[in-house]
């Protein structure tokens, strides 16, 4: 049996997954949290006096990988200002993979126009539409708050 800690609320694809599923290979997938909300998850943490992953308080919405290829605009913004070494690491890997690429390009994020990690970081600093720099965000790189949880975990 395979246990998966995913929630329907996380994506359209996940919202259509059943709680239990038989695979063609003959094993069962069990998703005990599929109907939980994000509030249910953090309520269970509180009930059992368990601290959530610290990355949630630093603006991350997903913590299975760092950064997640599904990171949203705000999350990428937080990663860039809090963990610039991670962005630099990805940029280095993009350059290495680019050398072996038949198309002479590589991108960490799915991108049809060849945008690389630094392009996405610059986009994360913009307001809706992606063309105008958000001055509050530009200044925020200088003053990083202790907590910027997407889930209201800050006191």
């Amino acid at each position: 049996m395979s246990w998966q800690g995913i929630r329907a609320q996380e994506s359209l694809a996940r919202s259509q997954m059943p709680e239990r599923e038989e695979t063609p290979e003959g094993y069962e997938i069990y998703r005990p949290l599929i109907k939980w909300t994000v509030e249910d998850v953090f309520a269970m943490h509180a009930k059992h006096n368990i601290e959530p992953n610290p990355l949630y308080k630093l603006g991350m919405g997903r913590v299975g990988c760092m950064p997640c290829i599904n990171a949203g605009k705000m999350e990428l913004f937080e990663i860039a200002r809090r963990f610039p070494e991670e962005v630099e690491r990805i940029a280095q890997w993009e350059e290495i993979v680019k050398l072996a690429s038949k198309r002479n390009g590589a991108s960490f994020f799915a991108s049809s126009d060849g945008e690389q990690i630094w392009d996405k970081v610059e986009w994360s600093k913009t307001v809706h539409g992606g063309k105008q720099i958000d001055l509050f965000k530009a200044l925020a790189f200088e003053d990083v708050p202790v907590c910027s949880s997407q889930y209201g975990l800050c006191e």
Side-chain angles (χ1 to χ4, degrees), residues 67-86:
C68 178
I69 60 170
N70 295 315
K73 190 175 191 178
M74 279 304 300
E75 189 170 353
L76 182 56
F77 175 78
E78 291 294 342
I79 291 167
R81 73 182 183 155
R82 291 178 184 277
F83 307 104
E85 68 280 1
E86 291 299 318

Side-chain angles (χ1 to χ4, degrees), residues 26-43:
Y27 67 91
E28 184 180 1
I29 298 173
Y30 178 47
R31 302 178 181 99
L33 310 180
I34 196 77
K35 296 176 184 169
W36 286 30
T37 65
V38 70
E39 293 82 14
D40 294 335
V41 172
F42 291 116

Side-chain angles (χ1 to χ4, degrees), residues 84-152:
E85 68 280 1
E86 291 299 318
V87 177
E88 184 56 42
R89 181 180 60 86
I90 290 168
Q92 290 173 3
W93 275 105
E94 285 178 336
E95 288 303 312
I96 291 168
V97 173
K98 181 179 173 180
L99 295 173
S101 170
K102 292 179 182 177
R103 290 181 263 151
N104 195 29
S107 178
F108 178 76
F109 295 106
S111 177
S112 60
D113 54 8
E115 287 186 315
Q116 294 186 303
I117 188 71
W118 289 116
D119 300 314
K120 294 292 189 180
V121 167
E122 289 307 308
W123 165 77
S124 79
K125 298 175 188 176
T126 65
V127 292
H128 185 71
K131 298 198 184 324
Q132 184 177 358
I133 294 291
D134 183 329
L135 293 178
F136 290 111
K137 284 185 176 179
L139 295 173
F141 260 79
E142 304 300 320
D143 183 28
V144 180
V146 173
C147 187
S148 57
S149 172
Q150 296 180 25
Y151 301 111

Side-chain angles (χ1 to χ4, degrees), residues 7-74:
R7 297 177 303 103
Q9 206 180 46
E10 293 176 311
S11 73
L12 177 61
R14 289 181 177 189
S15 72
Q16 297 170 7
M17 292 179 169
E19 185 174 335
R20 293 182 180 271
E21 179 180 0
E22 292 291 328
T23 70
E25 297 81 17
Y27 67 91
E28 184 180 1
I29 298 173
Y30 178 47
R31 302 178 181 99
L33 310 180
I34 196 77
K35 296 176 184 169
W36 286 30
T37 65
V38 70
E39 293 82 14
D40 294 335
V41 172
F42 291 116
M44 189 60 72
H45 279 81
K47 177 180 177 181
H48 293 285
N49 202 26
I50 299 170
E51 281 292 316
N53 186 310
L55 290 174
Y56 287 124
K57 291 184 178 181
L58 301 179
M60 305 310 124
R62 303 170 74 101
V63 298
C65 49
M66 175 57 162
C68 178
I69 60 170
N70 295 315
K73 190 175 191 178
M74 279 304 300

